[in-house]
Amino acid sequence: MAREVVARWPGLTLEMDGADNEGAARADVIVLATPWDSAIPTVRPLRDALAGKVVISMANALAKEGREMLALIPPRGSVAATVQAALPGSLVAAAFHHLPASEMEDLDSGLEADVLVCSDHAEATGAAMGLIDAMPGLRPLDTGTLSQAAAIEAFTAVCITLNIRYKVHSTLQMAGI
């Protein structure tokens, strides 16, 4: 996958190496970007390798019904909280939920958005906000503890439904901050 990404952008200098899940777990900051129902099966075998690491969950528990997306509520209230429970030794943050995937994968899209970040760990919040701040066009906003992840993840259903209805790739921007 890393080779495909680099090949897609020949005009850019992208230093990227691919790895399997075990290799990815060796990074200082891990972004968990799986479908929501794959998040726990993906991280559970890596529990020891991810101990002490920042893990950023960007999964949303959603189901499509007709032309609408519906929020599903995982037993712990959010995917991020479920990931934190599965990785008690890790520092889990929730972020990137409202960004349109097609815009995120297009490095020339000019994506501009606010990215809501929450965590129970200051180090995880700081790492996620630093990563977001390094991405042109994105502004990180600290929304508090991981208890906010349920509302943030569920609101993604509204954002995607709007994008479907209006045939756009809208983003979230908070006025007045």
Side-chain angles (χ1 to χ4, degrees):
M1 183 56 82
R3 282 190 294 273
E4 288 178 29
V5 171
V6 171
R8 186 171 174 196
W9 304 101
L12 298 175
T13 303
L14 299 174
E15 296 181 29
M16 201 182 280
D17 293 320
D20 58 12
N21 288 345
E22 289 78 19
R26 289 192 289 271
D28 294 330
V29 175
I30 293 85
V31 178
L32 180 61
T34 65
W36 74 272
D37 53 354
S38 298
I40 301 308
T42 299
V43 299
R44 188 172 281 133
L46 304 169
R47 183 178 177 161
D48 293 338
L50 294 173
K53 305 253 179 123
V54 172
V55 177
I56 301 171
S57 172
M58 59 184 288
N60 300 295
L62 304 174
K64 187 170 185 188
E65 187 174 291
R67 292 181 34 89
E68 290 187 344
M69 293 302 289
L70 304 175
L72 304 175
I73 309 301
R76 293 191 180 272
S78 69
V79 176
T82 305
V83 170
Q84 182 65 82
L87 301 174
S90 298
L91 311 172
V92 175
F96 298 111
H97 297 92
H98 304 122
L99 299 179
S102 62
E103 300 295 303
M104 286 176 48
E105 67 184 32
D106 180 357
L107 300 179
D108 292 327
S109 71
L111 179 63
E112 290 187 19
D114 289 336
V115 180
L116 306 179
V117 178
C118 61
S119 179
D120 292 340
H121 309 281
E123 183 179 341
T125 299
M129 292 182 71
L131 180 63
I132 294 160
D133 200 39
M135 298 176 184
L138 300 183
R139 179 176 70 155
L141 296 175
D142 181 349
T143 61
T145 65
L146 204 56
S147 64
Q148 297 296 337
I152 292 169
E153 291 176 18
F155 186 66
T156 303
V158 175
C159 296
I160 294 173
T161 297
L162 287 169
N163 287 341
I164 292 168
R165 180 155 302 178
Y166 291 99
K167 297 178 173 66
V168 296
H169 299 286
S170 66
T171 61
L172 181 68
Q173 293 183 306
M174 305 300 287
I177 297 177

